[in-house]
Amino acid sequence: MLFKRLSLDEPITCNQSGRQNNLDNKCRSLEKAPESSSTQSRRIILNNPKKRNALSLSMINSLRDDILADINNNDLRVIIISAKGPVFSSGHDLKELTSAQGRDYHTKVFQACSEVMSLIQDIPVPVIAMVNGVATAAGCQLVASCDIAVVTEKSSFATPGVNVGLFCSTPAVAIGRAVPKKVAMEMLFTGNPISAQDALLHGLVSKVVSEERLEDETLAIAQRICQASRPVVALGKATFHRQMAQGRDAAYATASSVMVDNLALRDGQEGVRAFIEKRKPVWTNSAEKAHE
């Protein structure tokens, strides 16, 4: 089994044709976790290693559909995105970006990709990138867009578009919000890759581990997330991204208001009571209010 510690559904694989496949070549809905476990996760696997998991339009559309599948199911708490092969993703399929495809098609590609990258940050559950290899251009953008990124020591990250005449302007949106400006600019102007350790140093990734520990470390983070209340995590994630786009005073006003809203949730009050009573909280995992 791919998942040893959590009670998880089978992973979905995104292939180049845009179809969704799990290990049995069928798409199953989320399975209910056993009563002894409150954990639930979805794993999406980029599965076109022969083309370096290029983000073709069909791959992007498949990724969007897989992320959104049953997204409002309260049992779903976290999504893990990984890939087969030595390349996490090489970015856009350059064969789709020739003049023969035309401007309208090119527009569709970049709009769809931007929508997916934004979607990752807009959905109510955290998204973890589990990376064991190279992530370049839009592949690097995908890693930067995820809430958490756990990577192996051999992983590397680059925005080499400038070297083929296509500046990585859309990847720069996510990368420029994840690393310091001068680090992003050097990556964008030179196309030179950075190591996993440098990516960690600059904030592009969350943790660097050995290849043998990658799955265990990723699942440990997922398990911890699954132990929290879904509506509390959802509110916190949405607020974090919202306040990061604001000035300091507006951010404090936003966050203060949301803290009050959080306390009005039934799970918010349950957590406070459980702490006072020195017991484990019992979450409803619903957006029910304890008070107005």
Side-chain angles (χ1 to χ4, degrees), residues 7-27:
S7 176
L8 306 175
D9 50 299
E10 292 184 19
I12 294 171
T13 61
C14 293
N15 63 22
Q16 193 67 13
S17 66
R19 294 187 300 255
Q20 302 170 358
N21 301 292
N22 64 14
L23 298 182
D24 296 325
N25 288 322
K26 298 176 183 176
C27 283

Side-chain angles (χ1 to χ4, degrees), residues 26-167:
K26 298 176 183 176
C27 283
R28 297 192 332 184
S29 59
L30 287 167
E31 296 177 351
K32 180 103 174 143
E35 291 184 6
S36 61
S37 173
S38 63
T39 59
Q40 192 58 270
S41 175
R42 172 181 301 146
R43 181 159 165 183
I44 301 173
I45 303 174
L46 306 181
N47 187 29
N48 190 19
K50 289 183 179 179
K51 293 199 70 174
R52 298 165 62 88
N53 293 315
L55 294 177
S56 65
L57 182 57
S58 62
M59 179 78 92
I60 292 168
N61 288 336
S62 179
L63 180 58
R64 180 197 60 216
D65 292 344
D66 293 342
I67 290 170
L68 286 175
D70 215 18
I71 193 63
N72 293 319
N73 185 337
N74 284 340
D75 287 336
L76 178 62
R77 310 295 180 77
V78 63
I79 293 174
I80 299 170
I81 300 177
S82 62
K84 288 191 176 181
V87 177
F88 177 77
S89 176
S90 59
H92 291 292
D93 185 346
L94 293 183
K95 291 182 179 179
E96 292 189 341
L97 304 182
T98 65
S99 296
Q101 294 291 343
R103 187 180 185 90
D104 289 345
Y105 188 87
H106 297 164
T107 300
K108 283 183 182 179
V109 169
F110 291 108
Q111 285 183 342
C113 186
S114 297
E115 288 170 5
V116 167
M117 301 301 171
S118 298
L119 180 66
I120 287 170
Q121 298 183 347
D122 292 343
I123 60 173
V125 299
V127 180
I128 304 174
M130 186 171 80
V131 182
N132 184 28
V134 179
T136 62
C140 187
Q141 179 185 3
L142 179 57
V143 175
S145 297
C146 289
D147 300 303
I148 298 170
V150 184
V151 311
T152 59
E153 296 160 334
K154 73 176 187 180
S155 298
S156 63
F157 307 87
T159 51
V162 67
N163 297 323
V164 297
L166 183 63
F167 198 86

Side-chain angles (χ1 to χ4, degrees), residues 175 207 258:
I175 295 165
K207 183 176 287 191
V258 170

